[in-house]
Amino acid sequence: MSATRRIALSIAAFVLAAGVIAPTASAHDRRGPSVTRLATFGSGGFVTGSTIGPDGAVYVTDGDAGSVKRINRRNGHVTTYATGLPRKALPDAIGGPVDIAFVGRTAYVLVTLVSGKAFGQPFGNSADKNGIYRLNRNGSFTLVADIGQWSVDNPPVPAFFIDTGVQYAMEIYHGRFLVTDGHHNRVLSVTRHGSIKQIATFGNQVPTGLEVTKGHVFITQLGPNPHVPATGRVLELRRGADPRVVAAGASMLIDVERGPGGKLFALSQGQWDGVGEGSPALPNTGRLVVVKHNGTLAPVTDGRGRELVLDRPTAMEFVGNTAYVVAINGVVYKVSNL
């Protein structure tokens, strides 16, 4: 087995299968939450991050193309917003641009798994750096924080087999960037001048999505194999205190966002297929779940009380009572009437 293949098989829950089946909504379902397809973009593999831009559009990352796409929320029209970022280096894993955030009208993009060493063997182009890039006015990108090199210089204990880590999500907090590393099991704080420090670390819990809202920081954990619902958790990170478990009970949690009515919503990628380390959820087992006051996670249902079905979602954003959910292969769904 080649080193590249071992890498792809060993990145827990980041080797995700493509192929999304579009949910449909009947007229009856429109009385309650419903799912429709808004847009399709990309080359069909490993789309992970999104945000709502200053113009109100949905912006998503495309690791295969090394680009950022803009999606019109009204008609689903897709345009290329920026390109020229390092592309992913491993064919069967995430990588390249994986998340995006805006500071004012300036875009910053998180890039991962474009170079490094796995099992001691180099992969990718060493000139390509893992970290945060700023989009300049002329359309070029500038590396502002080399997270990959920092990770090499500051390995977790115990060390993991990819020395540069696997950064997954990024949010802005008090003028800094918070970044999850799902391989090194930690959360980093990064300034726009490139200063990096670790602010939270976990056991083998695979931190994934982030949300910053009203001064609070929330994070999802995918959980280790076999990714049972009990290890799919939403945590609140707190200064000077241990993280607080907000809710648990949904398998393979991948993102969390504040939604309508101030409620916290999370994305469950679905039921793990059990094939092996790094294998994805079973098709069409993903769910949008809501955090309940008793610490449980309840699936969102339509007007008939049926659970809304999603196929391996990776990220979501809310505008009013509508969620925009990105799937792994570049399909964007619109979940209305929440």
Side-chain angles (χ1 to χ4, degrees), residues 54-326:
D55 60 350
V58 181
Y59 289 80
V60 293
T61 54
D62 186 342
D64 284 333
S67 67
V68 176
K69 301 296 193 299
R70 178 188 183 274
I71 300 172
N72 187 310
R73 290 192 293 112
R74 293 183 179 180
N75 56 23
H77 183 60
V78 179
T79 55
T80 297
Y81 174 69
T83 190
L85 288 160
R87 301 184 182 192
K88 69 176 188 178
L90 303 174
D92 296 320
I94 70 166
V98 291
D99 206 1
I100 178 173
F102 282 88
V103 178
R105 303 193 68 86
T106 301
Y108 291 81
V109 181
L110 179 65
V111 172
T112 194
L113 279 182
V114 295
S115 64
K117 291 182 179 179
F119 302 105
Q121 299 183 36
F123 66 90
N125 184 343
S126 61
D128 292 336
K129 305 299 180 182
N130 305 282
I132 298 175
Y133 289 74
R134 183 187 65 243
L135 178 61
N136 303 314
R137 291 184 178 181
N138 64 1
S140 65
F141 281 95
T142 299
L143 178 70
V144 297
D146 191 340
I147 299 176
Q149 186 60 55
W150 183 91
S151 299
V152 172
D153 296 338
N154 299 271
V157 178
F160 289 83
F161 61 85
I162 298 179
D163 62 350
T164 52
V166 181
Q167 296 76 44
Y168 186 81
M170 174 175 66
E171 285 283 343
I172 299 167
Y173 181 67
H174 293 316
R176 303 168 68 96
F177 299 102
L178 299 183
V179 176
T180 56
D181 188 324
H183 185 58
H184 288 177
N185 291 293
R186 56 189 178 186
V187 180
L188 307 177
S189 176
V190 185
T191 72
R192 282 177 276 170
H193 303 291
S195 176
I196 303 169
K197 65 179 181 179
Q198 176 179 291
I199 63 169
T201 185
F202 310 97
N204 185 27
Q205 296 298 323
V206 193
T208 49
L210 279 166
E211 168 69 324
V212 174
T213 175
K214 298 181 179 179
H216 297 271
V217 178
F218 298 97
I219 184 172
T220 50
Q221 291 181 331
L222 203 72
N225 288 349
H227 305 306
V228 296
T231 61
R233 306 191 299 176
V234 177
L235 305 180
E236 180 183 3
L237 301 185
R238 302 179 294 173
R239 287 185 176 182
D242 291 335
R244 178 178 70 94
V245 178
V246 176
S251 56
M252 302 182 77
L253 289 182
I254 204 78
D255 199 8
V256 58
E257 294 289 335
R258 180 81 72 180
K263 297 178 181 179
L264 277 180
F265 291 79
L267 276 181
S268 166
Q269 193 199 49
Q271 180 184 347
W272 185 50
D273 65 8
V275 172
E277 184 175 359
S279 60
L282 292 169
N284 301 307
T285 59
R287 295 292 189 270
L288 176 63
V289 297
V290 61
V291 173
K292 309 298 285 186
H293 292 296
N294 62 0
T296 60
L297 293 163
V300 175
T301 58
D302 65 13
R304 292 182 176 180
R306 300 171 302 187
E307 296 178 4
L308 300 184
V309 176
L310 299 168
D311 192 345
R312 285 164 286 215
T314 59
M316 65 177 169
E317 309 296 333
F318 280 93
V319 177
N321 66 349
T322 300
Y324 298 89
V325 179
V326 179

